[in-house]
């Protein structure tokens, strides 16, 4: 299985990337082929809604996104990993998701398997509510076959007390998919 991973944190050794690394270790033990794109370190222009692509065609921006979209179209599974920023995806990864617009139908028809990983500082009932709903609707809209979601609350920095539990969860998810 080919897996493409999109990450959204500028902290290379932060919490969401820690869970991604665990997930990769688990997935690689199954022999899966993984391609990872770290959005904060790539050139991804936000969608400007010009509709040049007509939701199915070339984008006016020839940045890193066409390559990412080609890789998505050549993959069996897509993984989204983000820190929670104001109850949602970070802008870096959301910009990439918005750029799906130019291949919207192709992505929907591909029926990709998916995994979502999010990490947040807070540990209350509210912190993951919005992203949980957003993920649920994205799965439905993009016709994803979701294989697992890790919503890591109370995990605001590496070394937090919740880290061990979430690392195990991420490794096990990578191993069982
Ligand atoms: C701009 C910004 C917004 C944030 N918003 C929230 C939030 O709404 N709720 C929360 O619990 N933590 C919030 N945090 C904290 C991060 O989600 C948390 O520290 C996370 O573990 C960071 O992930 P990373 O280490 O992968 O970058 C925010 C942090 C930043 C920088």
């Amino acid at each position: 299985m080919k897996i493409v991973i999109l990450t959204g944190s500028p902290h290379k050794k932060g919490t969401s990337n820690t869970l991604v690394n665990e997930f990769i270790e688990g997935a690689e033990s199954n022999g899966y082929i993984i391609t990872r794109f770290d959005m904060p370190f790539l050139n991804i222009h936000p969608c400007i809604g010009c509709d040049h692509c007509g939701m199915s065609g070339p984008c006016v921006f020839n940045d890193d996104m066409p390559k990412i979209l080609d890789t998505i179209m050549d993959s069996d599974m897509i993984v989204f990993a983000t820190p929670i920023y104001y109850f949602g995806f970070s802008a870096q990864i959301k910009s990439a998701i918005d750029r799906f617009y130019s291949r919207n139908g192709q992505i929907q028809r591909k029926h990709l398997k998916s995994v979502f990983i999010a990490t947040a500082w807070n540990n209350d009932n509210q912190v993951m509510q919005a992203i949980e709903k957003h993920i649920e609707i994205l799965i439905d809209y993009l016709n994803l076959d979701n294989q697992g979601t890790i919503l890591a609350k109370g995990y605001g920095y590496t070394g937090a007390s919740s880290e061990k539990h979430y690392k195990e969860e991420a490794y096990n998810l990578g191993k069982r998919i």
Side-chain angles (χ1 to χ4, degrees):
M1 180 158 71
K2 288 187 192 169
I3 303 175
V4 58
I5 302 180
L6 313 189
T7 72
S9 172
H11 301 130
K12 287 186 177 170
K13 294 184 177 170
T15 58
S16 50
N17 282 316
T18 296
L19 298 190
V20 166
N21 293 340
E22 292 293 324
F23 175 87
I24 289 173
E25 228 181 280
E28 279 180 343
S29 71
N30 294 321
Y32 296 150
I33 298 157
I34 290 158
T35 310
R36 172 183 184 152
F37 294 103
D38 298 304
M39 301 308 150
F41 306 102
L42 295 171
N43 176 26
I44 297 168
H45 199 288
C47 176
I48 56 167
C50 65
D51 248 324
H52 176 86
C53 65
M55 290 185 89
S56 176
C59 178
V60 290
F61 296 113
N62 191 17
D63 51 14
D64 287 324
M65 203 58 210
K67 186 174 170 226
I68 295 171
L69 287 166
D70 288 345
T71 308
I72 290 172
M73 294 314 296
D74 187 43
S75 298
D76 307 293
M77 173 181 277
I78 184 162
V79 178
F80 302 87
T82 184
I84 292 291
Y85 281 3
Y86 289 90
F87 308 99
F89 289 96
S90 72
Q92 292 91 329
I93 193 167
K94 184 59 167 54
S95 292
I97 294 171
D98 290 350
R99 294 281 300 280
F100 287 10
Y101 193 77
S102 68
R103 313 243 186 131
N104 198 69
Q106 291 98 314
I107 293 172
Q108 287 171 326
R109 284 190 292 278
K110 194 145 169 64
H111 193 40
L112 285 157
K113 294 181 193 303
S114 66
V115 159
F116 288 82
I117 296 171
T119 58
W121 186 285
N122 291 339
N123 195 17
D124 53 54
N125 292 334
Q126 195 184 35
V127 66
M128 293 295 187
Q129 264 178 23
I131 198 157
E132 201 170 2
K133 195 69 193 167
H134 195 162
I135 289 169
E136 182 192 319
I137 294 167
L138 267 182
I139 290 167
D140 185 50
Y141 181 73
L142 292 176
N143 193 26
L144 302 173
D145 172 17
N146 200 46
Q147 302 295 304
T149 301
I150 298 178
L151 300 177
K153 302 195 293 184
Y155 186 24
Y157 54 93
T158 47
S161 59
S162 61
E163 182 169 71
K164 188 169 174 286
H165 162 76
Y166 287 123
K167 278 172 77 172
E168 277 170 17
E169 205 180 318
Y171 176 84
N172 290 335
L173 178 58
K175 191 145 179 82
R176 90 167 152 74
I177 46 133

